[in-house]
Amino acid sequence: MQLYLPIADLPVNVLLVLAMGAAVGFVSGMFGIGGGFLMTPLLIFIGITPAVAVASVASHIAASSFSGALSYWRRRAIDPALASVLLCGGVTGTALGVWTFTQLRALGQLDLMIALSYVVLLTTVGSLMFSEGLHALMRTRRGAPPPRRAHNWIHGLPLKMRFKRSKIYLSVIPVVVVGVVIGFIGAIMGIGGGFILIPIMIYLLRVPTSTVIGTSMVLTLVTMLFATMLHAVTNHLVDAVLALILMVGGVTGAQFGARAGQKIRGEQLRLLLGLLILSVGVRFAIELVVQPADLFTIRELGASG
C-alpha cells in the first residue's frame, strides 16, 4: 500500500512505515529513550532525505515519549522538580540546535553533518554502554557486589537543590547544562537523547534508576515537541503525513515496550541498548564507506525525480 509524502516528495509503503514506528516505539518504551537514534537512520535508509527525516521524527519521538511518560507518571517514577530544571536547559538547547540546523542547511553541509554525527556519537556511546553492561552482567553472575560510587566534583558545585522524589541534593548547574546539550543534539540529529541522558544521570549525577527513565522521558517529550514546532515554522521540513503514521505506530509500541522493560534486569537492559546503538552506528558507517560522496545526493535526486 503506497502513500505519497508531500514534504519528503516520494511514495512509501504505509505498512512498512507503520511497522517501523511500532518497533521503534517498543524500543523507546522498553529502554526509556526517544528512539530517534534508530528511527531517523531507518527513514534515511528507505530514501527519505536526512533533513526531512530529522524534522519529522521529532514528532514521533514526542508521541512515544508521551505514552511512556504517562505510564511512569502513574507509577510515581518521575521526579517533577528534576524534570523542571532539566527543561530549563533543554528548551534553550533545542532552540539553539534548530538555529544551527538552519544555518548548516543554508551552507549545504547539513546532510553530511548529520551522517558524521550519527557515526561518531552512536559508535562511541554504543561501545561504552555495551562494555559497561557486559562488565555489570559478569559481576552479577560472579556474585560480586557492584562498584561503590563515590561522589565526584559535580556534587561540590554551588546552587544546590534538593530533589525529594529522587532523594538527592545536587547543584542545578550540571542539570541545566545536561539539558542544554541534550536539547541541542536532539534538534540537529532528530534524537531524544535518552541513550545519552540516562547514563549521565545515573553515573555522573547519581540519580537513582527508579526515577531516571521516567524523568528523562519528560525532557524528551517537551524538547521534541518544541523542536517539531520550530522545524515546522522555520524550515518547513516536517512531513505531517509521515509524522502521523510514525506517531500511531510509536504510541502503540511504547506501551508494550514499557511493560517488557520492567521484566528485564538493569544490566541486561544496558547491554542490549549498547549493542543496538553500536549496531546502528556501524550500519551508518558502512553506508558512508560504500557510498561516500553521493550517499545523500543520489537519494535526494531520486526522491525529487
Side-chain angles (χ1 to χ4, degrees), residues 35-302:
F37 76 93
L38 184 59
M39 190 77 260
T40 302
L42 286 176
L43 291 177
I44 293 174
F45 294 154
I46 67 171
I48 306 241
T49 57
V52 175
V54 167
S56 301
V57 162
S59 59
H60 167 264
I61 300 173
S64 298
S65 298
F66 173 76
S67 181
L70 190 60
S71 176
Y72 283 98
W73 178 265
R74 289 170 180 166
R75 301 200 306 270
R76 295 179 61 83
I78 293 176
D79 190 323
L82 182 59
S84 299
V85 178
L86 280 169
L87 285 172
C88 290
V91 171
T92 302
T94 301
L96 182 60
V98 172
W99 178 83
T100 305
F101 181 99
T102 305
Q103 298 304 311
L104 289 172
R105 184 171 176 238
L107 295 172
Q109 300 298 317
L110 179 63
D111 292 354
L112 179 60
M113 183 59 66
I114 291 174
L116 292 176
S117 297
Y118 265 100
V119 172
V120 174
L121 184 63
L122 297 187
T123 52
T124 301
V125 174
S127 298
L128 292 174
M129 290 190 69
F130 179 78
S131 176
E132 192 280 331
L134 186 60
H135 285 124
L137 189 61
M138 293 174 64
R139 282 196 306 268
T140 302
R141 289 185 174 180
R142 292 197 306 264
R148 188 176 180 182
R149 297 176 184 174
H151 285 287
N152 51 45
W153 62 270
I154 291 177
H155 293 80
L157 294 174
L159 301 177
K160 290 188 176 181
M161 177 177 175
R162 193 172 301 280
F163 300 99
K164 295 182 179 179
R165 183 69 61 82
S166 297
K167 299 178 181 179
I168 56 174
Y169 187 54
L170 181 68
S171 169
V172 299
I173 296 175
V175 180
V176 172
V177 171
V178 167
V180 171
V181 172
I182 298 300
F184 180 81
I185 293 175
I188 291 181
M189 297 178 63
I191 58 177
F195 67 95
I196 305 173
L197 176 62
I198 291 176
I200 289 177
M201 291 177 69
I202 291 176
Y203 298 112
L204 291 183
L205 304 185
R206 301 291 188 258
V207 179
T209 54
S210 59
T211 59
V212 71
I213 294 179
T215 304
S216 73
M217 279 192 165
V218 174
L219 176 65
T220 300
L221 167 62
V222 177
T223 55
M224 289 296 97
L225 191 60
F226 187 43
T228 299
M229 293 188 294
L230 290 180
H231 278 306
V233 173
T234 59
N235 297 308
H236 309 290
L237 290 173
V238 178
D239 194 307
V241 177
L242 174 62
L244 180 60
I245 299 173
L246 293 175
M247 286 169 63
V248 171
V251 170
T252 305
Q255 289 296 319
F256 291 99
R259 296 173 188 173
Q262 297 169 28
K263 301 177 182 179
I264 303 177
R265 293 189 347 219
E267 60 272 11
Q268 293 175 328
L269 277 175
R270 295 197 299 273
L271 182 65
L272 289 173
L273 180 57
L275 182 60
L276 182 61
I277 294 171
L278 181 59
S279 299
V280 176
V282 171
R283 178 69 173 84
F284 230 116
I286 292 173
E287 283 280 317
L288 284 176
V289 171
V290 173
Q291 304 177 57
D294 302 321
L295 174 60
F296 300 112
T297 305
I298 291 175
R299 286 176 177 165
E300 290 176 5
L301 292 175

